[in-house]
């Protein structure tokens, strides 16, 4: 039995071990150059343990001693010994948090301590932790280890004397044999051993567990069961016990399993259980239901969601119906996840009939999700229609803009003016193929519009159109024309200035 470890003794032995290692480190000479170009020989030890590693080891040691003392307190005697000490299960992230360093630094420190034989590690995979053991010399000291080995190597003395006795098995069934004449001879002839009288050690009486014969060493061991039953082998007894355990486990599961409606088909039962398990996962996460509550909830789902399976559907229609109901559960689960404060009623009616979440009369419950989905579908269809109209309008504007650009390119090519950089090296045929390819991607309608425009331009020899001037320019031209005075009117006015009416008129001067 291992003794309790005192933290002060362990820390003292750990410090002594570190000091002993540092004192045993070899020395090396280094030449240091000074500013005055002289050299100084410096002697220093090589391989000293850094202070950071000692700090990490002290933290691991504290964790190990705490776990060790708790483990040996509850473990039975003989569970652990010096060759089999309890391990500390941890990882680099946890130790890094304790030591206030990174997990990579902890890993490097542990590797160095393993090289120093202060630690032993057993790795359990990249996704699991590892186990650590501290050296027994640090935990217990040399003296205690020597005493323990001495006690283990001591000769063992028999506590019950030289005579060996056969003690009964814990599960042995003892059946007193009938006292009839010749029973001892009968047992002797059948089993090859004597159950009554003296045994080899001089003991008398009936033993609860008679000595087995020396020749009965086969794997098939026989045991007599009550009621005069058959004699079974060890394998048959193990199979019988396994069957009993399975029957008991099935009975326990049946006791915890909710009662299903009577006369339910197997596929309908699977649909019902799948729906209830999914509802527990997405709606009632973390909530525990008793067997009675589960039975009520399944009854509410059976009547409210599936209408007692009275609807006539094919197998594929039932599958589609089940998928639709599960999607409704997912929608309700997302709503409650986004609104944690929303009221979530019980799956069945508790006080007021018809107010359960899955009841058919509760329009605010699971049945109301159908109208919710319908509104979402209508809104989604309206949004898609508006988006499609917007895309069609944008396409129309883009195609009309490209049509105008094509008309100008053909007019500029015919007039010999400078073309755009994209089409500046094309002739009339190449330009037609270019725009025909562009409008082919826009659809047959716009390709026909381009071809009709090209034929019309070709008929007028790609002449530029004579557009009417804008209304404002027309008004400015009319005003300018109205304010214009002809030369004859100017000459008439000059003549009138010089005319004198001899008293009939007035002098202009």
């Amino acid at each position: 039995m291992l003794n309790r470890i005192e933290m002060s003794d362990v820390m003292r032995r750990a410090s002594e071990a570190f000091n002993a290692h540092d004192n045993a480190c070899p020395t090396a000479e280094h030449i240091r150059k000074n500013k005055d170009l002289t050299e100084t020989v410096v002697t220093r030890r090589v391989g000293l343990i850094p202070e950071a590693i000692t700090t990490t080891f002290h933290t691991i040691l504290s964790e190990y001693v705490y776990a060790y003392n708790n483990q040996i307190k509850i473990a039975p005697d003989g569970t652990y010994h010096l060759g089999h000490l309890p391990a500390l299960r941890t990882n680099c992230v946890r130790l890094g948090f304790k030591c206030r360093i990174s997990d990579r630094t902890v890993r490097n420190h542990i590797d160095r301590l393993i090289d120093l034989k202060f630690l032993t590690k057993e790795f359990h995979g990249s996704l699991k932790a590892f186990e650590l053991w501290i050296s027994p010399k640090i935990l217990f000291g040399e003296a205690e280890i020597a005493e323990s080995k001495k006690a283990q190597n001591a000769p063992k003395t028999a506590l019950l004397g030289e005579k060996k006795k056969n003690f009964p098995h814990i599960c042995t069934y003892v059946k007193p044999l009938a006292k009839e004449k010749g029973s001892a001879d009968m047992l002797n002839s059948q089993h090859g051993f004597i159950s009554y009288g003296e045994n080899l050690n001089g003991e008398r009486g009936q033993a609860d567990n008679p000595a087995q014969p020396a020749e009965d060493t086969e794997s098939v061991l026989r045991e007599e069961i009550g009621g005069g039953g058959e004699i079974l082998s060890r394998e048959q007894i193990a199979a019988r016990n396994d069957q009993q355990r399975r029957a008991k486990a099935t009975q326990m599961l049946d006791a915890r399993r909710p009662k299903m409606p009577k006369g339910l088909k197997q596929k309908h039962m699977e649909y019902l259980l799948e729906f209830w398990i999914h509802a527990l996962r997405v709606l009632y996460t973390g909530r525990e239901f008793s067997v009675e509550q589960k039975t009520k909830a399944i009854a509410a789902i059976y009547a409210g969601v599936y209408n007692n399976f009275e609807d006539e559907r094919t197998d594929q229609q039932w599958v589609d119906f089940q998928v639709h109901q599960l999607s409704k559960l997912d929608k309700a689960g997302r709503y409650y996840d986004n609104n944690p404060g929303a009221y979530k009623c019980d799956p069945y009616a508790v006080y007021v009939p018809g107010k359960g979440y899955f009841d058919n009369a509760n329009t605010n419950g699971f049945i109301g999700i159908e109208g919710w989905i319908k509104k979402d579908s209508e809104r989604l269809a309206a949004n898609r229609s508006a988006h499609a109209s917007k895309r069609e309008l944008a396409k129309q504007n883009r195609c009309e803009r490209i049509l105008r650009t094509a008309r100008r390119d053909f007019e500029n090519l015919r007039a010999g003016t400078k073309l755009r950089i994209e089409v500046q090296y094309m002739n009339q045929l190449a330009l037609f193929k270019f725009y025909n390819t562009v409008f082919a991607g826009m659809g047959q309608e716009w390709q026909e519009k381009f071809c009709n425009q090209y034929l019309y331009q070709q008929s007028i020899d790609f002449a530029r159109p004579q557009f009417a001037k804008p209304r404002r320019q027309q008004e400015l031209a009319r005003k300018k024309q109205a304010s214009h005075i002809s030369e004859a009117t100017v000459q008439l006015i000059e003549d009138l200035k010089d005319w004198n009416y001899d008293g009939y008129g007035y002098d202009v001067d």
Side-chain angles (χ1 to χ4, degrees), residues 386-488:
H387 183 65
S389 301
K390 186 177 179 180
R391 289 183 59 185
E392 186 65 26
L393 181 60
K395 178 182 178 181
Q396 181 179 356
N397 295 335
R398 181 169 177 267
C399 293
E400 290 178 353
R401 185 173 64 253
I402 297 175
L403 271 177
R404 291 192 297 269
T405 304
R407 177 181 56 78
R408 295 191 186 101
D409 287 341
F410 281 108
E411 292 172 355
N412 294 334
L413 180 64
R414 181 68 179 84
T417 57
K418 185 178 181 181
L419 298 176
R420 295 185 299 111
I421 297 178
E422 187 178 6
V423 296
Q424 61 181 350
Y425 299 110
M426 296 183 183
N427 55 16
Q428 182 177 347
L429 181 60
L431 192 60
F432 172 79
K433 291 182 178 181
F434 171 74
Y435 278 109
N436 187 44
T437 304
V438 172
F439 283 101
M442 302 295 182
Q444 184 178 1
E445 178 184 359
W446 290 101
Q447 189 178 14
E448 292 178 356
K449 287 184 178 181
F450 165 71
C451 293
N452 295 333
Q453 175 181 288
Y454 175 77
L455 294 176
Y456 173 74
Q457 285 186 284
Q458 194 177 26
S459 63
I460 61 175
D461 198 15
F462 299 100
R464 299 182 184 275
Q466 299 294 330
F467 295 105
K469 294 182 178 180
R471 182 180 300 177
R472 182 168 178 78
Q473 293 184 6
Q474 293 178 6
E475 291 179 356
L476 291 176
R478 284 196 297 269
K479 290 181 180 179
K480 184 177 180 181
Q481 185 178 3
S483 61
H484 180 69
I485 301 175
S486 60
E487 295 180 359

Side-chain angles (χ1 to χ4, degrees), residues 130-147:
F130 50 79
E131 292 179 336
L132 292 177
W133 290 270
I134 308 295
S135 174
K137 296 181 180 180
I138 297 178
L139 294 177
F140 305 104
E142 296 288 348
E144 187 172 350
I145 293 175
E147 291 181 2

Side-chain angles (χ1 to χ4, degrees), residues 4-17 57-58 61-66 69 137-141:
R4 175 183 172 84
I5 298 177
E6 298 295 335
M7 185 65 69
S8 58
D9 297 338
V10 174
M11 290 297 179
R12 176 178 54 80
R13 286 191 287 267
S15 300
E16 292 175 356
F57 181 73
H58 288 157
L61 191 58
S62 302
E63 294 288 326
Y64 182 87
V65 170
Y66 178 78
N69 290 333
K137 296 181 180 180
I138 297 178
L139 294 177
F140 305 104

Side-chain angles (χ1 to χ4, degrees), residues 25-214:
C25 290
T27 59
E29 294 183 354
H30 299 272
I31 299 176
R32 180 182 298 170
K33 293 183 179 181
N34 302 325
K35 292 183 179 180
D36 55 356
L37 302 181
T38 59
E39 296 181 352
T40 305
V41 178
V42 180
T43 303
R44 63 177 64 174
R45 292 186 180 274
V46 180
L48 297 177
I49 302 175
E51 186 67 23
I53 295 181
T54 60
T55 304
T56 303
F57 181 73
H58 288 157
T59 304
I60 296 175
L61 191 58
S62 302
E63 294 288 326
Y64 182 87
V65 170
Y66 178 78
Y68 169 88
N69 290 333
N70 291 336
Q71 185 65 22
I72 65 171
K73 189 191 310 181
I74 62 176
D77 294 343
T79 304
Y80 300 107
H81 50 82
L82 286 177
H84 177 60
L85 294 175
L88 173 65
R89 186 124 188 188
T90 182
N91 54 44
C92 292
V93 177
R94 189 181 306 147
L95 292 177
F97 178 77
K98 294 282 185 181
C99 302
R100 297 183 181 277
I101 54 179
S102 65
D103 56 338
R104 182 61 185 173
T105 305
V106 172
R107 192 177 298 111
N108 294 334
H109 289 180
I110 291 177
D111 293 341
R112 180 67 188 282
L113 291 170
I114 292 174
D115 295 338
L116 296 173
K117 298 183 179 180
F118 290 164
L119 289 181
T120 305
K121 183 178 73 171
E122 183 176 346
F123 193 57
H124 291 284
S126 59
L127 300 180
K128 297 183 180 179
F130 50 79
E131 292 179 336
L132 292 177
W133 290 270
I134 308 295
S135 174
K137 296 181 180 180
I138 297 178
L139 294 177
F140 305 104
E142 296 288 348
E144 187 172 350
I145 293 175
E147 291 181 2
S148 177
K149 290 183 178 180
K150 185 178 179 181
Q152 291 179 1
N153 296 331
K156 305 295 188 300
T157 58
L159 301 178
L160 300 178
E162 297 180 356
K163 296 182 179 181
K164 300 180 180 179
K165 291 187 177 181
N166 296 322
F167 290 92
H169 295 290
I170 298 176
C171 59
T172 301
Y173 176 80
V174 180
K175 176 186 176 183
L177 299 177
K179 293 184 179 180
E180 59 185 34
K181 185 176 180 180
S183 61
D185 298 333
M186 179 182 64
L187 291 173
N188 188 18
S189 62
Q190 290 181 355
H191 300 284
F193 60 89
I194 300 175
S195 181
Y196 291 93
E198 293 185 357
N199 58 12
L200 297 177
N201 297 326
E203 298 172 346
R204 297 182 62 83
Q206 178 183 2
D208 291 342
N209 187 21
Q212 296 293 331

